[in-house]
Amino acid sequence: MVRQERAVRTRRLILEAAASVFDECGYERATIGEVVARAGVTRGAVYFHFASKRELAQGVVEEQFGRDEIPERHCKLQEFVDLGMVVAHLMPRDPVLSAGARLSLGQDVFGEFGGGAGPGWARRAESALEAAGRRGELLPQVVPAETARLVTGAWAGVQIQSQKMSGRADLERRIAALYQHLMPAIAVPGVLATLDLAADRGGRVVAELAAARAAEAGAVEVPAPGEASAPDGS
């Protein structure tokens, strides 16, 4: 079990190092040697987990989907918006998300990774829209699969524009504007009026998650002063 946990930590360390290299250098100029240096592991450790640079890059693309945690909401369209806004908040701060976007959309690796992260994000969005539909939150003409593909494509386009114009400094504002324009064509009026589409939405959701994790960690019982266990453990 200890060995397995160590392997998981090493794999994560390698992926995060690889993400920073791919994000800075691009796929073609990135080298396994630089990943080894940044991760502080042996070349053998890298090849134990990833057989090639291509497989390592594919791992970075797939690792994005461990970074899209959002709280469950009664309103499923708010979850749909939160997903996009959380990623917009994290992408300039998280090399895995940033590198995943570069590997998925960059011309130097066009077609290398079977569409990159786009299909995965579209499926994630489609699932949220289907849940919203079951709750009666969608307008009658909305087809979840088509809308998910449209929004995912628009999100990617806005991200590229933000990267070129400001290095993603204005990504959250641009993505908020995207949802502010699109949601009236998706949500029934009663639900639309309740949606939080503000530019700082992603940051607030991330802070909410961090607070929840901290509270969960603090919920482990710690004996109060004077309440230590007896020597026999009773």
Side-chain angles (χ1 to χ4, degrees):
M1 182 64 71
V2 172
R3 184 177 299 176
Q4 184 178 17
E5 291 174 354
R6 187 183 303 120
V8 170
R9 288 196 300 270
T10 300
R11 186 179 189 276
R12 185 179 300 117
L13 184 66
I14 292 168
L15 280 173
E16 291 178 353
S20 68
V21 174
F22 287 129
D23 195 34
E24 292 173 21
C25 305
Y27 180 75
E28 293 298 333
R29 292 194 298 117
T31 66
I32 294 293
E34 182 61 25
V35 174
V36 167
R38 294 201 190 187
V41 300
T42 65
R43 187 175 290 265
V46 173
Y47 282 116
F48 175 81
H49 291 280
F50 304 97
S52 64
K53 184 171 80 169
R54 185 185 187 284
E55 189 173 306
L56 183 55
Q58 184 67 49
V60 171
V61 170
E62 293 171 357
E63 183 72 6
Q64 293 178 91
F65 301 108
R67 260 109 164 134
D68 63 342
E69 182 185 3
I70 55 171
E72 185 174 352
R73 311 287 185 193
H74 176 73
C75 177
K76 296 304 173 182
L77 275 184
Q78 187 65 66
E79 288 186 23
F80 173 74
V81 171
D82 286 353
L83 175 63
M85 293 306 301
V86 164
V87 175
H89 176 76
L90 292 176
M91 186 168 282
R93 300 166 172 86
D94 186 338
V96 171
L97 285 169
S98 183
R102 179 165 184 169
L103 291 167
S104 299
L105 302 171
Q107 293 182 350
D108 55 345
V109 289
F110 183 77
E112 275 285 312
F113 305 113
W121 290 121
R123 286 191 296 271
R124 182 79 169 80
E126 182 180 353
S127 177
L129 288 170
E130 287 175 343
R134 290 191 291 271
R135 288 180 178 265
E137 298 174 6
L138 302 181
L139 291 170
Q141 74 272 15
V142 175
V143 178
E146 292 179 358
T147 301
R149 288 193 295 270
L150 174 65
V151 173
T152 301
W155 199 108
V158 169
Q159 184 274 139
I160 291 171
Q161 188 178 44
S162 176
Q163 171 65 21
K164 291 185 178 297
M165 299 295 292
S166 70
R168 298 199 188 102
D170 64 353
L171 180 58
E172 291 177 88
R173 179 180 61 78
R174 287 176 181 267
I175 294 297
L178 172 68
Y179 284 114
Q180 289 160 14
H181 281 77
L182 290 181
M183 295 313 292
I186 297 173
V188 298
V191 171
L192 178 63
T194 70
L195 295 178
D196 184 344
L197 306 175
D200 66 344
R201 175 67 183 178
R204 286 187 281 113
V205 173
V206 169
E208 176 187 348
L209 286 167
R213 285 192 290 266
E216 185 177 348
V220 178
E221 284 193 22
V222 177
E227 294 183 0
S229 299
D232 64 356
S234 61

